[in-house]
Amino acid sequence: MSSAADLARLIAESRRLVVFTGAGISTESGIPDFRSPGGVWSKMKPIYFQEFVASEEKRREAWDRAFTGRAGWVGREPNSGHHAVARLVASGKCSSVITQNVDNLHQASGVPAERVIELHGNASYASCLECGDRHELEELKVLYEATGDLPACRRCSGIVKTATISFGQSMPAGPMARAEAETLACDLFLVLGSSLVVYPAAGFPLLAKRNGARLAIVNREATELDPYADLVLHDEIGPVMSRAAPAE
């Protein structure tokens, strides 16, 4: 039976660690996951990217969700798992955090933004689909509530969308390339709170393993990649990481 002490040993023996996080690390902050009973998609139907672009009605529905916080993706505080990861980054042990989450909690916990590789974007701000200009949600909300007009880019008048990767939207080439490079450079790949069923992101743990890195998985439920891992813990992430990467 593996323990947090075993994980601490793997971390201590590592020279270059990559952390890969999924929804499970943020459920302990009160952010719902996507696919489990009671998760986001059991309460509301996802809006596909093509629908958002083509339909003003779908864009309005998406912005109503964003401005009311119905999806629950933002507005929470980092938990002990996020802070443990931040300590690993600050120590120089962890080179990067690859995340499937859109909640901005790694940055909020103190991980420099340039060390966080967001595969599915970020729900805490918006961007123009035409020119890429960044827009802050609070500013967009004020205008939306005052006028009822859908957000448009102040620079080019293009369609503005929360900076998340929606169903049907292409994965971001830059973050995917960075994630692959970091995966191939690490000697320990640590998965925290991912069911490892969403590809292509879920391919990174096996890529690391096949490249000679050790693989550790901490997740409440079993994953399909558990048999390939050097260490598996079916436990809560915050308590495990607080013991494996304690504050000095």
Side-chain angles (χ1 to χ4, degrees):
M1 179 73 72
S2 297
S3 68
D6 296 318
L7 178 57
R9 188 189 72 253
L10 285 183
I11 292 172
E13 293 172 353
S14 169
R15 295 187 308 277
R16 187 183 178 105
L17 160 68
V18 164
V19 172
F20 179 94
T21 63
I25 194 173
S26 294
T27 55
E28 294 170 39
S29 288
I31 292 179
D33 65 13
F34 296 89
R35 291 169 177 79
S36 66
V40 172
W41 301 139
S42 69
K43 298 177 181 179
M44 64 179 72
K45 183 180 178 182
I47 296 173
Y48 279 72
F49 180 71
Q50 292 81 4
E51 294 177 311
F52 182 91
V53 172
S55 168
E56 180 176 321
E57 179 183 358
K58 288 296 184 181
R59 289 201 293 280
R60 190 169 299 279
E61 181 181 351
W63 282 114
D64 285 339
R65 291 181 184 182
F67 292 144
T68 60
R70 283 174 55 204
W73 289 334
V74 294
R76 303 288 182 166
E77 295 297 322
N79 61 57
S80 56
H82 294 105
H83 289 299
V85 172
R87 290 194 295 273
L88 290 174
V89 174
S91 73
K93 178 71 70 171
C94 177
S95 64
S96 64
V97 180
I98 304 170
T99 187
Q100 297 172 292
N101 299 337
V102 298
D103 51 40
N104 205 57
L105 290 185
H106 285 300
Q107 294 91 322
S109 71
V111 179
E114 64 270 18
R115 296 291 194 93
V116 182
I117 303 173
E118 294 174 318
L119 300 181
H120 296 158
N122 190 309
S124 70
Y125 64 94
S127 60
C128 175
L129 296 179
E130 297 295 326
C131 71
D133 198 32
R134 174 170 171 151
H135 296 255
E136 302 306 323
L137 293 186
E138 281 305 312
E139 296 175 5
L140 295 177
K141 183 178 180 179
V142 169
L143 290 172
Y144 183 72
E145 292 181 342
T147 67
D149 295 335
L150 288 169
C153 182
R154 58 179 167 261
R155 175 181 291 177
C156 73
S157 300
I159 293 175
V160 172
K161 177 183 172 295
T162 57
T164 55
I165 303 300
S166 300
F167 285 96
Q169 189 172 1
S170 298
M171 292 293 285
M176 288 295 290
R178 286 182 60 208
E180 180 176 349
E182 287 290 328
T183 297
L184 292 173
C186 77
D187 60 9
L188 174 61
F189 195 97
L190 173 57
V191 177
L192 300 176
S194 176
S195 57
L196 299 177
V197 296
V198 180
Y199 285 83
F204 290 120
L206 272 186
L207 178 63
K209 181 67 176 175
R210 289 168 177 163
N211 196 50
R214 287 174 166 177
L215 174 61
I217 300 174
V218 183
N219 194 55
R220 282 183 298 179
E221 308 296 332
T223 79
E224 293 183 0
L225 299 190
D226 284 5
Y228 302 95
D230 298 274
L231 178 146
V232 176
L233 290 173
H234 295 150
D235 208 339
E236 299 292 329
I237 293 163
V240 166
M241 290 303 297
S242 294
R243 295 193 296 271
E248 294 183 0

